Amino acid sequence: MKKAVFPGSFDPITSGHVDIVKRAVPLFDEIIIAIGVNTSKKYLFPLDQRIAWLEKVFENEPSVKVDSYEGLTAHYCKNIGANYMLRGLRNASDFDYEKTISQLNSIVGDGLETLFLISRPSFSHISSTIVREIIKGKGDASPFLPPEIKI
Ligand code: ADP
């Protein structure tokens, strides 16, 4: 069974995340969107809210599950029996960062493979960071959010 973990903060989920997951659905038997919880990091939205949004967006995708975890992503993947990690690449800085992390994860995760999907041009400008700034500034973030999410 081909099982992949799509890890992230999803603070909040954006249309860019949704596009990556939907494009990966035909590639895996199961995709677990996993929210990494770092107790020393401050999030804009509580974990329960982020989980609820992910579940709503993917309620009609039976192979997509939602979970959360603490600790190393590579250990989480091993614990749940996932041999693949899914990540999205928007630009060269994503690539530089992700390249190192995937090489480390291959060692820490004992051969864990990372699969990268390049962002489609219509989503490559979208990030949760920008969306949070728009929300904090009382702007309209809806062009960057899946239609199921109203903030
Ligand atoms: P992290 O804090 O681990 O970067 P994010 O929630 O910001 O978590 O992102 C999770 C994954 O989604 C990462 O692989 C990131 O590169 C990818 N991603 C985020 N936004 C986009 C986008 N607009 N297009 C494609 N991939 C994206």
Side-chain angles (χ1 to χ4, degrees):
M1 167 141 160
K2 282 209 192 99
K3 205 167 170 178
V5 168
F6 184 45
S9 310
F10 306 101
D11 188 28
I13 183 175
T14 69
S15 314
H17 295 128
V18 176
D19 188 59
I20 295 291
V21 174
K22 290 205 164 156
R23 286 164 58 202
V25 161
L27 307 177
F28 296 101
D29 299 305
E30 190 173 313
I31 297 174
I32 297 103
I33 307 178
I35 303 184
V37 180
N38 180 341
T39 42
S40 59
K41 201 168 151 186
K42 278 212 141 244
Y43 300 98
L44 184 58
F45 297 103
L47 179 62
D48 289 359
Q49 176 69 84
R50 286 178 281 147
I51 289 176
W53 278 329
L54 288 166
E55 285 176 342
K56 173 103 193 101
V57 170
F58 293 102
E59 66 185 350
N60 295 320
E61 292 282 1
S63 66
V64 178
K65 310 266 157 54
V66 179
D67 195 10
S68 63
Y69 66 97
E70 284 183 38
L72 294 180
T73 309
H75 289 169
Y76 169 74
C77 292
K78 257 204 127 184
N79 288 344
I80 64 159
N83 294 324
Y84 302 93
M85 198 151 109
L86 175 66
R87 296 289 286 174
L89 292 179
R90 286 162 290 192
N91 48 42
S93 35
D94 272 0
F95 174 79
D96 279 345
Y97 174 75
E98 296 287 346
K99 172 175 168 265
T100 311
I101 300 286
S102 77
Q103 288 166 337
L104 291 170
N105 278 332
S106 170
I107 298 165
V108 178
D110 204 12
L112 178 70
E113 286 285 6
T114 307
L115 183 97
F116 296 100
L117 290 182
I118 303 229
S119 178
R120 286 206 261 185
S122 47
F123 297 112
S124 61
H125 58 295
I126 304 176
S127 69
S128 294
T129 309
I130 295 295
V131 168
R132 287 195 298 275
E133 289 311 308
I134 293 170
I135 293 166
K136 285 185 209 161
K138 310 259 182 278
D140 175 17
S142 62
F144 314 109
L145 300 173
E148 297 86 348
I149 306 300
K150 309 273 179 244
I151 297 180

